[in-house]
Amino acid sequence: MSFRGLSRPNATSGMGVADHSKNAFTELQRKKVHRYVIFKIDEKKKEVVVEKTGGPAESYEDFAAALPENDCRYAVYDFDYVTSENCQKSKIFFIAWSPSTSRIRAKMLYATSKDRFRRELDGIHYEIQATDPTEMDLEELRNRAN
């Protein structure tokens, strides 16, 4: 059985990227203005927009708490850490948040738009696909960064 006829055209086409989404990423990457940026898809505008930003002093727990429990989002997180040689480093993580409790349509929309959006953000070091909080806990970021 084909599901093609059942889906709306928007569900499978990539979304555009709002200029302020790219600007917010640049501010996180180059200017360290944000610790994290959470993006959502605005279906009416057919583009990825900034939903929330977190200041440099915000913690990873603040970031994780800002993600919706039952809906998909994209996020970038600037992870600071110290290497075994005692060097201060920073890695930018792209997180595709798609909780198992979110609507099927939302999961499809975010999954089909992810690659195009991700390509717009030049300078991502690591990508994490998470369906529940344990898949993106702080220990996971530490393991990937080292």
Side-chain angles (χ1 to χ4, degrees):
M1 177 176 152
S2 170
F3 291 100
R4 198 176 319 238
L6 297 175
S7 68
R8 294 184 209 144
N10 300 355
T12 56
S13 61
M15 293 282 156
V17 180
D19 285 341
H20 73 271
S21 292
K22 293 181 212 172
N23 294 343
F25 175 72
T26 302
E27 288 172 349
L28 173 141
Q29 180 187 32
R30 298 204 180 111
K31 300 177 184 163
K32 304 289 185 186
V33 173
H34 311 298
R35 170 67 55 204
Y36 63 86
V37 183
I38 297 174
F39 304 93
K40 72 176 190 174
I41 292 177
D42 183 327
E43 290 193 62
K44 286 186 178 64
K45 293 182 180 174
K46 293 188 172 43
E47 65 183 4
V48 178
V49 299
V50 173
E51 181 178 56
K52 182 177 187 345
T53 57
E58 290 200 41
S59 69
Y60 189 75
E61 289 73 26
D62 297 328
F63 162 67
L67 290 169
E69 199 177 316
N70 298 313
D71 203 1
C72 303
R73 292 295 184 268
Y74 303 125
V76 288
Y77 185 83
D78 188 6
F79 179 64
D80 292 332
Y81 65 103
V82 178
T83 67
S84 54
E85 293 83 36
N86 215 21
C87 295
Q88 186 71 35
K89 296 263 189 173
S90 173
K91 296 286 183 194
I92 297 174
F93 281 81
F94 178 87
I95 297 169
W97 173 243
S98 184
S100 51
T101 54
S102 57
R103 297 179 346 265
I104 300 262
R105 175 168 165 68
K107 289 180 195 177
M108 282 178 48
L109 187 60
Y110 277 78
T112 56
S113 302
K114 180 182 71 125
D115 289 339
R116 177 169 178 207
F117 178 56
R118 169 84 170 62
R119 278 194 303 271
E120 296 283 341
L121 308 179
D122 193 31
I124 300 280
H125 298 108
Y126 301 102
E127 183 175 320
I128 293 178
Q129 175 77 41
T131 57
D132 75 67
T134 62
E135 294 175 345
M136 53 167 264
D137 67 12
L138 199 52
E139 201 54 40
E140 180 65 27
L141 269 67
R142 273 193 201 99
N143 291 339
R144 295 266 186 109
N146 287 318

